[in-house]
Amino acid sequence: MSTSTVKSGDSPEKQRESDKSRAENRLGQKLVLPAVILMLLVTAWPMIQALWLSLFQYRLTSPDDREMVGLNNYVTIFTDPIFWRDTGNTVMIMVVTVSIEFVIGMAFALIMHRVIFARGLIRTSILIPYGVITVVSAFAWQFAFSANNGFVNYWLPFVEDNFDWFGSYGSSMVAIMISEIWKTTPFMSLLLLAGLAQVSEDTLEAAKVDGATWWQRLYKVILPNMRSAIMVAVLFRALDAYRIFDNIFVMTRGANNTESVSFLTYRQSIELLNLGMGSALSVVLFLSVLLIAALLVKVFRVDLAQARGER
Amino acid sequence: MKRKIGMTLGIALILIWCLLPVAWIISLSFKSQEAITSGSPGFFPTSDGFAGWANYEALLTGEHSDFVQAIINSIGISLISTVLSVIVATLAAYAVARLEFKGKKFVLWVALAIAMFPVVSLVSPLFDLWSSIGLFDTWLGLIIPYMSFTLPLAIWTLSAFFREIPWEMEQAAQVDGATSWQAFRKVIVPLAAPGVFTAAILTFFFAWNDFVFGISLTSSSSARPIPAALSFLVGSDPFNPPSSLLAAAAVIGTVPIIIIVLLFQRKIVAGLTSGAVKG
């Protein structure tokens, strides 16, 4: 795209052009080199190391017993009910939070798109949950749900004042998911707002003249026209939700079976210093994120192609 | 008229959503420990449970003042990684947005892969690696991971900005005899400054917010950042933490971010959405 300015085709120009493109090639590679080295240093290299370590029985507490065990760690993981329980939790958190975030985020985006007064105030406020440290939001909600000093039981009429949200699995998960949804819905709504800005007002106006109801306009005009924004928002948030760790660490420490896959990986590696098993879990976690990304891209691509065909 | 009422309700709803938990944690930070132990479920502190600045004093000058070191760590580590990451990302984003070169696809592919990388899966190999080369529990040991994890976002945001710059000016400079490098430095850098600034804010947010690296790659207060320090303020019983003290620490950790949000709201929105929608 950068070479489009030189249009004449005589040979000295061409000569200069190819010299220029060779220089451009070198410059480009030189400029990206530091970024590539840094990114690979912290991901590719440790990941290769994790692949290697995952083949060992290796605990930092007894480093001399390091022993090559082949794929044994993986067999242990996939036959362990704890791993499947944690995977179930993680998938549930991902599906529930992203769905709710999408609905609320879309509602917020529609309001922000139409709002005339207080525009700056709203845009500033919506960034506050995005900016607040996840750990802080987890603490805020943990205290809010606390039976001893929280306001949730106090305010909710259908909940007893001494109800212990962190006493059982279901209510603990609700508290964890609420803190996650609170923190990330604004991010979703900002991405959707940017998508809304790309929906043409003329088409909407035409639909209105043709007698389409508000719901029909939303389903038939607005949503299909902002498909790429929706795809990006859902993809980013889903991958992010699958990595959930901070909220669970703060709110329950995995008590009442609320552990996620990330938490299990952390517990094996850092708390139990079981590096072999931790590495194997790291590899599995990475592969499952890749799988989710591939699935989502595939699902949305089909839709995108259909949307393009309609137009 | 009906529309206007609906709008007002919607705005009120958004504001409550965004501000309620923040207001709650601020309110909690002014309650006294005694009031909380005896049960203080109201939203605002009552007159006899009001602690004034006592919780903040305990953190900044009193018995929990090792928290000050965490504040210093967070500010230092976040600022250094932001500056370095933005410099490296600017070079890369310029190349990606502007130049044709072999390996461009590879760079974008690596950035995409890292953006979706589960951070926790790097913890155990990095823990091992950092221990063996002496980076464990140091500032540099956190700066390097922060840099590599903020690079994809910074590269995307910046290259979206770079595509909008009128590049004829750069060509004009080159016609006047400047080399590619001179044209980049003298013409493009000043034009790109607002985008670079936005990328810097987003990078700073990431570093300030990180928890996983913070707790796994540090073991003492010498490098432990605020989010990790918060989880260490919790006493022996994680189900009965010193709530008001933690709330005060949380407020201290949130204030810088709120200030940045208030000052640069427009730029942050532009940065968050430009990479996603145009890229």
Side-chain angles (χ1 to χ4, degrees), chain A residues 1-2 24-25 29 38-39 42 46 60 114-115 124-125 130-131 133-134 140 143 148-150 182 198 243 262 269 282 286 289, chain B residues 3 7 11 15 17 24 28 36 39-41 97-98 100-102 114 116-117 120-121 124-125 127 147-148 205 209 257 277:
Chain A
M1 59 178 174
S2 56
E24 191 174 298
N25 190 35
Q29 287 173 341
L38 258 166
M39 290 194 283
V42 176
L60 269 192
R114 288 274 169 255
V115 84
T124 308
S125 315
Y130 172 77
I133 304 171
T134 314
F143 298 149
N148 192 32
N149 52 45
W182 175 74
Q198 297 189 324
R243 299 179 281 198
S262 280
S269 319
S282 301
F286 177 57
V289 166
Chain B
R3 213 190 141 88
M7 254 321 157
I11 293 170
L15 290 183
W17 175 282
W24 160 244
L28 192 59
I36 282 177
S40 165
R98 189 66 192 129
E100 284 307 320
F101 60 94
K102 283 193 198 103
I114 290 179
M116 58 172 90
F117 219 91
V120 172
S121 69
S124 87
F127 176 79
M147 280 181 73
S148 44
F205 271 28
N209 188 38
I257 292 294
V277 177

Short mmCIF file of all heavy atoms in Angstrom, two decimals, chain A residues 1-2 24-25 29 38-39 42 46 60 114-115 124-125 130-131 133-134 140 143 148-150 182 198 243 262 269 282 286 289, chain B residues 3 7 11 15 17 24 28 36 39-41 97-98 100-102 114 116-117 120-121 124-125 127 147-148 205 209 257 277:
data_model
loop_
_atom_site.label_atom_id
_atom_site.label_comp_id
_atom_site.label_asym_id
_atom_site.label_seq_id
_atom_site.Cartn_x
_atom_site.Cartn_y
_atom_site.Cartn_z
N MET A 1 0.82 -1.20 0.00
CA MET A 1 0.00 0.00 0.00
C MET A 1 0.86 1.25 0.00
O MET A 1 0.48 2.28 -0.51
CB MET A 1 -0.91 0.01 1.22
CG MET A 1 -0.18 -0.04 2.52
SD MET A 1 -1.30 0.05 3.90
CE MET A 1 -0.17 -0.23 5.23
N SER A 2 2.06 1.14 0.52
CA SER A 2 2.89 2.31 0.63
C SER A 2 3.60 2.64 -0.68
O SER A 2 4.11 3.72 -0.86
CB SER A 2 3.93 2.14 1.72
OG SER A 2 4.68 0.99 1.44
N GLU A 24 12.99 -1.04 2.54
CA GLU A 24 11.78 -1.04 3.35
C GLU A 24 11.64 -2.36 4.10
O GLU A 24 11.29 -2.41 5.27
CB GLU A 24 10.58 -0.83 2.42
CG GLU A 24 9.30 -0.55 3.15
CD GLU A 24 8.17 -0.21 2.17
OE1 GLU A 24 8.30 0.79 1.45
OE2 GLU A 24 7.20 -0.97 2.12
N ASN A 25 11.95 -3.44 3.38
CA ASN A 25 11.90 -4.77 3.97
C ASN A 25 12.82 -4.86 5.19
O ASN A 25 12.42 -5.30 6.26
CB ASN A 25 12.31 -5.80 2.90
CG ASN A 25 12.06 -7.22 3.35
OD1 ASN A 25 11.09 -7.48 4.06
ND2 ASN A 25 12.94 -8.12 2.99
N GLN A 29 11.68 -5.09 9.21
CA GLN A 29 12.10 -6.19 10.08
C GLN A 29 12.86 -5.69 11.30
O GLN A 29 12.69 -6.18 12.41
CB GLN A 29 12.94 -7.19 9.28
CG GLN A 29 12.08 -7.99 8.32
CD GLN A 29 12.88 -8.87 7.39
OE1 GLN A 29 14.08 -8.65 7.21
NE2 GLN A 29 12.24 -9.85 6.79
N LEU A 38 10.70 -9.71 22.55
CA LEU A 38 10.09 -9.61 23.88
C LEU A 38 8.88 -10.52 24.02
O LEU A 38 8.70 -11.20 25.03
CB LEU A 38 9.63 -8.18 24.12
CG LEU A 38 10.54 -7.36 25.01
CD1 LEU A 38 10.22 -5.90 24.91
CD2 LEU A 38 10.40 -7.84 26.45
N MET A 39 8.04 -10.52 22.96
CA MET A 39 6.82 -11.33 23.05
C MET A 39 7.18 -12.82 23.11
O MET A 39 6.56 -13.58 23.85
CB MET A 39 5.89 -11.02 21.88
CG MET A 39 5.28 -9.63 21.97
SD MET A 39 3.89 -9.36 20.86
CE MET A 39 4.70 -9.11 19.30
N VAL A 42 8.79 -14.17 26.60
CA VAL A 42 7.93 -14.43 27.75
C VAL A 42 6.82 -15.43 27.43
O VAL A 42 6.15 -15.92 28.33
CB VAL A 42 7.34 -13.09 28.27
CG1 VAL A 42 6.36 -13.31 29.39
CG2 VAL A 42 8.46 -12.21 28.74
N PRO A 46 8.96 -19.91 27.50
CA PRO A 46 8.37 -20.62 28.65
C PRO A 46 7.40 -21.72 28.24
O PRO A 46 7.30 -22.75 28.92
CB PRO A 46 7.64 -19.52 29.42
CG PRO A 46 8.31 -18.27 29.02
CD PRO A 46 8.72 -18.46 27.60
N LEU A 60 9.23 -28.97 43.23
CA LEU A 60 10.31 -28.14 43.74
C LEU A 60 10.65 -28.50 45.18
O LEU A 60 11.75 -28.24 45.65
CB LEU A 60 9.94 -26.66 43.68
CG LEU A 60 10.32 -25.91 42.41
CD1 LEU A 60 10.15 -24.42 42.61
CD2 LEU A 60 11.75 -26.21 41.99
N ARG A 114 -27.84 7.10 21.98
CA ARG A 114 -28.94 8.06 21.78
C ARG A 114 -28.86 9.26 22.73
O ARG A 114 -29.53 10.25 22.52
CB ARG A 114 -30.28 7.36 21.98
CG ARG A 114 -30.65 6.43 20.87
CD ARG A 114 -31.36 7.16 19.74
NE ARG A 114 -31.48 6.31 18.57
CZ ARG A 114 -30.73 6.46 17.47
NH1 ARG A 114 -29.84 7.42 17.39
NH2 ARG A 114 -30.88 5.64 16.45
N VAL A 115 -28.06 9.12 23.77
CA VAL A 115 -28.11 10.13 24.84
C VAL A 115 -27.60 11.47 24.33
O VAL A 115 -26.65 11.53 23.55
CB VAL A 115 -27.32 9.66 26.07
CG1 VAL A 115 -25.85 9.95 25.92
CG2 VAL A 115 -27.85 10.27 27.32
N THR A 124 -17.37 8.91 31.13
CA THR A 124 -16.36 8.84 32.18
C THR A 124 -16.73 7.75 33.19
O THR A 124 -15.90 6.93 33.56
CB THR A 124 -16.24 10.20 32.90
OG1 THR A 124 -16.04 11.20 31.91
CG2 THR A 124 -15.09 10.21 33.86
N SER A 125 -18.02 7.74 33.59
CA SER A 125 -18.43 6.77 34.60
C SER A 125 -18.25 5.34 34.10
O SER A 125 -17.84 4.46 34.84
CB SER A 125 -19.90 6.97 34.97
OG SER A 125 -20.16 8.31 35.16
N TYR A 130 -14.02 -0.37 34.36
CA TYR A 130 -12.92 -0.88 33.53
C TYR A 130 -11.58 -0.59 34.19
O TYR A 130 -10.68 -1.42 34.15
CB TYR A 130 -12.99 -0.25 32.13
CG TYR A 130 -11.80 -0.56 31.27
CD1 TYR A 130 -11.67 -1.81 30.66
CD2 TYR A 130 -10.79 0.38 31.07
CE1 TYR A 130 -10.57 -2.12 29.89
CE2 TYR A 130 -9.69 0.07 30.30
CZ TYR A 130 -9.58 -1.17 29.71
OH TYR A 130 -8.48 -1.46 28.95
N GLY A 131 -11.47 0.58 34.81
CA GLY A 131 -10.20 0.98 35.40
C GLY A 131 -9.93 0.35 36.76
O GLY A 131 -8.78 0.11 37.12
N ILE A 133 -9.10 -1.98 39.69
CA ILE A 133 -8.35 -3.24 39.73
C ILE A 133 -9.33 -4.40 39.98
O ILE A 133 -10.21 -4.30 40.84
CB ILE A 133 -7.32 -3.19 40.88
CG1 ILE A 133 -6.39 -1.98 40.71
CG2 ILE A 133 -6.51 -4.47 40.95
CD1 ILE A 133 -5.49 -1.74 41.90
N THR A 134 -9.18 -5.51 39.24
CA THR A 134 -10.08 -6.64 39.40
C THR A 134 -10.12 -7.13 40.84
O THR A 134 -11.18 -7.47 41.37
CB THR A 134 -9.63 -7.81 38.48
OG1 THR A 134 -9.35 -7.27 37.20
CG2 THR A 134 -10.72 -8.84 38.36
N ALA A 140 -14.65 -5.59 46.87
CA ALA A 140 -15.85 -4.77 47.06
C ALA A 140 -17.09 -5.65 47.07
O ALA A 140 -17.96 -5.52 47.94
CB ALA A 140 -15.96 -3.72 45.97
N PHE A 143 -17.27 -8.06 50.19
CA PHE A 143 -17.76 -7.38 51.38
C PHE A 143 -19.24 -7.05 51.26
O PHE A 143 -19.98 -7.09 52.24
CB PHE A 143 -16.96 -6.11 51.66
CG PHE A 143 -15.50 -6.36 51.91
CD1 PHE A 143 -14.54 -5.43 51.56
CD2 PHE A 143 -15.08 -7.55 52.50
CE1 PHE A 143 -13.19 -5.67 51.79
CE2 PHE A 143 -13.74 -7.80 52.73
CZ PHE A 143 -12.79 -6.85 52.37
N ASN A 148 -21.93 -10.44 57.49
CA ASN A 148 -21.57 -9.65 58.67
C ASN A 148 -21.65 -8.15 58.41
O ASN A 148 -22.21 -7.41 59.19
CB ASN A 148 -20.17 -10.04 59.12
CG ASN A 148 -19.83 -9.49 60.46
OD1 ASN A 148 -20.72 -9.35 61.31
ND2 ASN A 148 -18.58 -9.15 60.67
N ASN A 149 -21.05 -7.70 57.30
CA ASN A 149 -21.02 -6.25 57.10
C ASN A 149 -21.42 -5.79 55.70
O ASN A 149 -21.16 -4.67 55.31
CB ASN A 149 -19.61 -5.72 57.44
CG ASN A 149 -18.54 -6.49 56.70
OD1 ASN A 149 -18.67 -6.73 55.50
ND2 ASN A 149 -17.49 -6.89 57.39
N GLY A 150 -22.10 -6.65 54.94
CA GLY A 150 -22.47 -6.25 53.59
C GLY A 150 -23.87 -5.69 53.50
O GLY A 150 -24.71 -5.94 54.36
N TRP A 182 -19.93 -7.09 36.63
CA TRP A 182 -19.86 -5.65 36.93
C TRP A 182 -18.63 -5.04 36.29
O TRP A 182 -18.69 -4.01 35.65
CB TRP A 182 -19.80 -5.40 38.44
CG TRP A 182 -19.61 -3.95 38.72
CD1 TRP A 182 -20.56 -2.97 38.60
CD2 TRP A 182 -18.41 -3.29 39.10
NE1 TRP A 182 -20.01 -1.76 38.89
CE2 TRP A 182 -18.69 -1.91 39.19
CE3 TRP A 182 -17.10 -3.72 39.37
CZ2 TRP A 182 -17.74 -0.96 39.53
CZ3 TRP A 182 -16.14 -2.78 39.71
CH2 TRP A 182 -16.46 -1.42 39.80
N GLN A 198 -21.43 2.54 13.46
CA GLN A 198 -21.23 2.19 12.07
C GLN A 198 -22.52 1.75 11.37
O GLN A 198 -22.52 1.49 10.18
CB GLN A 198 -20.18 1.10 11.96
CG GLN A 198 -18.83 1.58 12.48
CD GLN A 198 -17.72 0.60 12.20
OE1 GLN A 198 -17.93 -0.60 12.25
NE2 GLN A 198 -16.55 1.11 11.89
N ARG A 243 -10.16 -17.29 31.36
CA ARG A 243 -8.94 -17.21 32.16
C ARG A 243 -9.23 -16.75 33.58
O ARG A 243 -8.31 -16.41 34.31
CB ARG A 243 -7.96 -16.22 31.50
CG ARG A 243 -7.55 -16.63 30.12
CD ARG A 243 -6.61 -15.63 29.50
NE ARG A 243 -7.31 -14.46 28.99
CZ ARG A 243 -6.79 -13.61 28.12
NH1 ARG A 243 -5.56 -13.79 27.68
NH2 ARG A 243 -7.46 -12.59 27.69
N SER A 262 -7.80 -22.01 35.62
CA SER A 262 -6.64 -21.17 35.92
C SER A 262 -6.23 -21.33 37.38
O SER A 262 -5.05 -21.40 37.71
CB SER A 262 -6.96 -19.70 35.67
OG SER A 262 -6.88 -19.40 34.33
N SER A 269 1.04 -25.26 40.52
CA SER A 269 2.38 -24.74 40.25
C SER A 269 2.97 -24.00 41.43
O SER A 269 4.10 -24.25 41.82
CB SER A 269 2.36 -23.77 39.07
OG SER A 269 1.54 -24.24 38.06
N SER A 282 -0.81 -26.15 32.38
CA SER A 282 -0.60 -24.94 31.58
C SER A 282 -0.82 -25.23 30.11
O SER A 282 -1.48 -24.47 29.40
CB SER A 282 0.82 -24.41 31.76
OG SER A 282 1.06 -24.13 33.11
N PHE A 286 -3.75 -23.67 27.78
CA PHE A 286 -3.44 -22.94 26.55
C PHE A 286 -4.18 -23.54 25.36
O PHE A 286 -4.79 -22.83 24.56
CB PHE A 286 -1.94 -22.94 26.32
CG PHE A 286 -1.55 -22.27 25.03
CD1 PHE A 286 -1.92 -20.96 24.78
CD2 PHE A 286 -0.81 -22.95 24.07
CE1 PHE A 286 -1.57 -20.33 23.59
CE2 PHE A 286 -0.46 -22.32 22.89
CZ PHE A 286 -0.84 -21.02 22.65
N VAL A 289 -7.88 -22.69 25.38
CA VAL A 289 -8.15 -21.31 24.94
C VAL A 289 -8.08 -21.23 23.41
O VAL A 289 -8.94 -20.61 22.77
CB VAL A 289 -7.15 -20.32 25.60
CG1 VAL A 289 -7.20 -18.98 24.91
CG2 VAL A 289 -7.47 -20.16 27.07
N ARG B 3 -40.09 9.02 25.88
CA ARG B 3 -38.74 8.74 25.47
C ARG B 3 -37.73 9.38 26.41
O ARG B 3 -36.73 8.78 26.79
CB ARG B 3 -38.56 9.32 24.07
CG ARG B 3 -37.64 8.54 23.19
CD ARG B 3 -37.37 9.35 21.95
NE ARG B 3 -35.97 9.17 21.61
CZ ARG B 3 -35.56 8.19 20.84
NH1 ARG B 3 -36.39 7.36 20.30
NH2 ARG B 3 -34.26 8.04 20.58
N MET B 7 -34.95 7.61 28.76
CA MET B 7 -33.53 7.98 28.66
C MET B 7 -32.95 8.31 30.02
O MET B 7 -31.88 7.85 30.39
CB MET B 7 -33.42 9.24 27.79
CG MET B 7 -32.88 9.03 26.39
SD MET B 7 -31.59 7.85 26.38
CE MET B 7 -31.56 7.27 24.78
N ILE B 11 -29.95 6.45 31.93
CA ILE B 11 -28.73 7.11 32.40
C ILE B 11 -28.53 6.85 33.89
O ILE B 11 -27.42 6.49 34.32
CB ILE B 11 -28.81 8.62 32.13
CG1 ILE B 11 -28.78 8.87 30.61
CG2 ILE B 11 -27.67 9.36 32.80
CD1 ILE B 11 -29.09 10.28 30.22
N LEU B 15 -25.32 5.00 35.66
CA LEU B 15 -24.52 5.66 36.70
C LEU B 15 -24.49 4.82 37.98
O LEU B 15 -23.44 4.65 38.59
CB LEU B 15 -25.06 7.06 37.00
CG LEU B 15 -24.84 8.08 35.87
CD1 LEU B 15 -25.36 9.45 36.29
CD2 LEU B 15 -23.36 8.17 35.50
N TRP B 17 -24.94 1.58 38.24
CA TRP B 17 -24.13 0.40 37.93
C TRP B 17 -22.64 0.69 38.11
O TRP B 17 -21.91 -0.06 38.74
CB TRP B 17 -24.42 -0.03 36.48
CG TRP B 17 -23.57 -1.15 35.99
CD1 TRP B 17 -22.27 -1.07 35.58
CD2 TRP B 17 -23.94 -2.52 35.88
NE1 TRP B 17 -21.82 -2.30 35.20
CE2 TRP B 17 -22.83 -3.21 35.37
CE3 TRP B 17 -25.12 -3.23 36.14
CZ2 TRP B 17 -22.85 -4.58 35.13
CZ3 TRP B 17 -25.12 -4.60 35.89
CH2 TRP B 17 -24.01 -5.25 35.39
N TRP B 24 -19.46 2.12 47.61
CA TRP B 24 -19.51 1.16 48.72
C TRP B 24 -18.14 0.97 49.34
O TRP B 24 -17.96 1.01 50.55
CB TRP B 24 -20.09 -0.16 48.20
CG TRP B 24 -19.79 -1.37 49.04
CD1 TRP B 24 -19.05 -2.45 48.66
CD2 TRP B 24 -20.23 -1.64 50.36
NE1 TRP B 24 -19.00 -3.37 49.66
CE2 TRP B 24 -19.71 -2.91 50.73
CE3 TRP B 24 -20.99 -0.94 51.29
CZ2 TRP B 24 -19.95 -3.48 51.96
CZ3 TRP B 24 -21.22 -1.51 52.53
CH2 TRP B 24 -20.71 -2.77 52.86
N LEU B 28 -17.00 1.93 53.07
CA LEU B 28 -16.45 0.89 53.95
C LEU B 28 -15.11 1.33 54.54
O LEU B 28 -14.79 1.02 55.69
CB LEU B 28 -16.29 -0.40 53.15
CG LEU B 28 -16.02 -1.71 53.88
CD1 LEU B 28 -17.12 -2.00 54.86
CD2 LEU B 28 -15.92 -2.84 52.86
N ILE B 36 -17.18 -3.13 62.22
CA ILE B 36 -17.30 -4.20 61.24
C ILE B 36 -17.31 -5.56 61.92
O ILE B 36 -18.09 -6.45 61.55
CB ILE B 36 -16.16 -4.08 60.21
CG1 ILE B 36 -16.55 -2.97 59.25
CG2 ILE B 36 -15.94 -5.39 59.49
CD1 ILE B 36 -15.56 -2.66 58.23
N GLY B 39 -20.58 -6.37 63.26
CA GLY B 39 -21.64 -6.44 62.27
C GLY B 39 -22.17 -5.07 61.92
O GLY B 39 -22.78 -4.40 62.74
N SER B 40 -21.89 -4.61 60.70
CA SER B 40 -22.29 -3.27 60.31
C SER B 40 -22.77 -3.31 58.87
O SER B 40 -22.06 -2.94 57.96
CB SER B 40 -21.09 -2.32 60.46
OG SER B 40 -21.31 -1.12 59.79
N PRO B 41 -24.00 -3.84 58.69
CA PRO B 41 -24.44 -4.14 57.33
C PRO B 41 -24.93 -2.94 56.54
O PRO B 41 -25.20 -3.07 55.36
CB PRO B 41 -25.59 -5.13 57.56
CG PRO B 41 -26.12 -4.77 58.90
CD PRO B 41 -25.01 -4.18 59.68
N ALA B 97 1.91 -0.82 10.09
CA ALA B 97 0.92 0.01 9.42
C ALA B 97 1.44 0.56 8.10
O ALA B 97 0.67 0.88 7.21
CB ALA B 97 0.50 1.16 10.33
N ARG B 98 2.75 0.67 7.96
CA ARG B 98 3.29 1.52 6.93
C ARG B 98 4.19 0.81 5.94
O ARG B 98 4.30 1.20 4.79
CB ARG B 98 4.09 2.64 7.66
CG ARG B 98 4.55 3.75 6.83
CD ARG B 98 3.40 4.55 6.29
NE ARG B 98 3.90 5.45 5.27
CZ ARG B 98 3.37 5.54 4.07
NH1 ARG B 98 2.33 4.83 3.76
NH2 ARG B 98 3.87 6.39 3.19
N GLU B 100 6.02 -2.58 3.88
CA GLU B 100 5.86 -3.95 3.42
C GLU B 100 7.15 -4.70 3.74
O GLU B 100 8.23 -4.27 3.33
CB GLU B 100 5.62 -3.98 1.91
CG GLU B 100 4.21 -3.56 1.51
CD GLU B 100 3.13 -4.33 2.25
OE1 GLU B 100 3.29 -5.55 2.45
OE2 GLU B 100 2.13 -3.70 2.65
N PHE B 101 7.05 -5.79 4.47
CA PHE B 101 8.27 -6.55 4.75
C PHE B 101 7.91 -8.00 5.00
O PHE B 101 6.77 -8.33 5.34
CB PHE B 101 9.03 -5.95 5.94
CG PHE B 101 8.23 -5.95 7.22
CD1 PHE B 101 8.35 -6.99 8.14
CD2 PHE B 101 7.38 -4.89 7.51
CE1 PHE B 101 7.63 -6.97 9.31
CE2 PHE B 101 6.64 -4.87 8.68
CZ PHE B 101 6.78 -5.91 9.58
N LYS B 102 8.90 -8.85 4.79
CA LYS B 102 8.68 -10.28 5.02
C LYS B 102 8.53 -10.53 6.52
O LYS B 102 9.27 -9.97 7.32
CB LYS B 102 9.89 -11.08 4.50
CG LYS B 102 9.90 -11.24 3.00
CD LYS B 102 10.92 -12.29 2.58
CE LYS B 102 11.25 -12.15 1.11
NZ LYS B 102 12.55 -11.49 0.86
N ILE B 114 -0.65 -13.97 21.60
CA ILE B 114 -0.34 -13.54 22.96
C ILE B 114 -1.53 -12.84 23.60
O ILE B 114 -1.78 -12.99 24.79
CB ILE B 114 0.92 -12.65 22.96
CG1 ILE B 114 2.11 -13.53 22.64
CG2 ILE B 114 1.10 -11.95 24.30
CD1 ILE B 114 3.40 -12.83 22.58
N MET B 116 -4.49 -13.63 23.38
CA MET B 116 -5.43 -14.60 23.94
C MET B 116 -4.75 -15.60 24.86
O MET B 116 -5.37 -16.53 25.34
CB MET B 116 -6.20 -15.30 22.81
CG MET B 116 -5.36 -16.02 21.82
SD MET B 116 -6.36 -16.99 20.68
CE MET B 116 -6.68 -15.86 19.38
N PHE B 117 -3.50 -15.38 25.17
CA PHE B 117 -2.75 -16.32 26.00
C PHE B 117 -3.27 -16.34 27.43
O PHE B 117 -3.45 -15.29 28.03
CB PHE B 117 -1.29 -15.90 26.01
CG PHE B 117 -0.34 -17.04 25.96
CD1 PHE B 117 0.10 -17.51 24.74
CD2 PHE B 117 0.09 -17.64 27.11
CE1 PHE B 117 0.97 -18.57 24.68
CE2 PHE B 117 0.96 -18.71 27.06
CZ PHE B 117 1.40 -19.17 25.84
N VAL B 120 -2.05 -17.47 33.35
CA VAL B 120 -1.69 -18.44 34.39
C VAL B 120 -0.83 -19.57 33.82
O VAL B 120 0.04 -20.11 34.51
CB VAL B 120 -2.96 -19.01 35.05
CG1 VAL B 120 -2.62 -20.16 35.97
CG2 VAL B 120 -3.67 -17.93 35.83
N SER B 121 -1.03 -19.89 32.53
CA SER B 121 -0.27 -21.02 32.00
C SER B 121 1.22 -20.68 31.85
O SER B 121 2.04 -21.55 31.59
CB SER B 121 -0.86 -21.52 30.70
OG SER B 121 -0.67 -20.59 29.68
N SER B 124 4.03 -21.14 35.87
CA SER B 124 4.97 -22.11 36.41
C SER B 124 6.30 -22.14 35.62
O SER B 124 7.36 -22.13 36.23
CB SER B 124 4.33 -23.49 36.56
OG SER B 124 4.42 -24.24 35.40
N PRO B 125 6.28 -22.10 34.27
CA PRO B 125 7.58 -22.02 33.60
C PRO B 125 8.34 -20.71 33.89
O PRO B 125 9.56 -20.75 34.06
CB PRO B 125 7.23 -22.12 32.11
CG PRO B 125 5.78 -21.98 31.99
CD PRO B 125 5.19 -22.31 33.30
N PHE B 127 8.15 -18.90 36.62
CA PHE B 127 8.60 -19.04 38.00
C PHE B 127 9.94 -19.79 38.03
O PHE B 127 10.91 -19.36 38.65
CB PHE B 127 7.53 -19.79 38.78
CG PHE B 127 7.87 -20.10 40.20
CD1 PHE B 127 7.75 -19.13 41.18
CD2 PHE B 127 8.30 -21.37 40.57
CE1 PHE B 127 8.05 -19.42 42.50
CE2 PHE B 127 8.61 -21.66 41.89
CZ PHE B 127 8.48 -20.68 42.85
N MET B 147 5.51 -6.01 29.84
CA MET B 147 5.80 -5.47 28.52
C MET B 147 5.28 -6.40 27.43
O MET B 147 4.59 -5.98 26.51
CB MET B 147 7.30 -5.28 28.33
CG MET B 147 7.84 -4.02 28.97
SD MET B 147 9.60 -3.89 28.68
CE MET B 147 9.60 -3.46 26.94
N SER B 148 5.61 -7.69 27.56
CA SER B 148 5.23 -8.56 26.45
C SER B 148 3.72 -8.75 26.37
O SER B 148 3.19 -8.95 25.30
CB SER B 148 5.96 -9.89 26.52
OG SER B 148 5.95 -10.36 27.81
N PHE B 205 -2.88 0.70 32.49
CA PHE B 205 -4.02 0.01 33.09
C PHE B 205 -3.70 -1.47 33.28
O PHE B 205 -3.98 -2.04 34.32
CB PHE B 205 -5.26 0.14 32.19
CG PHE B 205 -6.09 1.35 32.48
CD1 PHE B 205 -5.51 2.49 33.02
CD2 PHE B 205 -7.45 1.36 32.21
CE1 PHE B 205 -6.27 3.62 33.29
CE2 PHE B 205 -8.22 2.48 32.47
CZ PHE B 205 -7.64 3.60 33.00
N ASN B 209 -3.30 -3.32 36.92
CA ASN B 209 -4.39 -4.24 37.24
C ASN B 209 -3.89 -5.67 37.47
O ASN B 209 -4.56 -6.48 38.07
CB ASN B 209 -5.39 -4.21 36.08
CG ASN B 209 -6.65 -4.99 36.39
OD1 ASN B 209 -7.14 -4.97 37.52
ND2 ASN B 209 -7.17 -5.68 35.41
N ILE B 257 -6.04 5.43 39.04
CA ILE B 257 -6.78 5.02 37.85
C ILE B 257 -7.96 5.95 37.60
O ILE B 257 -8.22 6.38 36.48
CB ILE B 257 -7.27 3.57 38.02
CG1 ILE B 257 -6.09 2.60 38.04
CG2 ILE B 257 -8.26 3.18 36.94
CD1 ILE B 257 -5.34 2.50 36.76
N VAL B 277 -12.51 -2.11 16.23
CA VAL B 277 -13.47 -1.98 15.16
C VAL B 277 -12.82 -1.80 13.79
O VAL B 277 -13.22 -2.42 12.81
CB VAL B 277 -14.44 -0.82 15.45
CG1 VAL B 277 -15.40 -0.63 14.30
CG2 VAL B 277 -15.22 -1.13 16.71
#
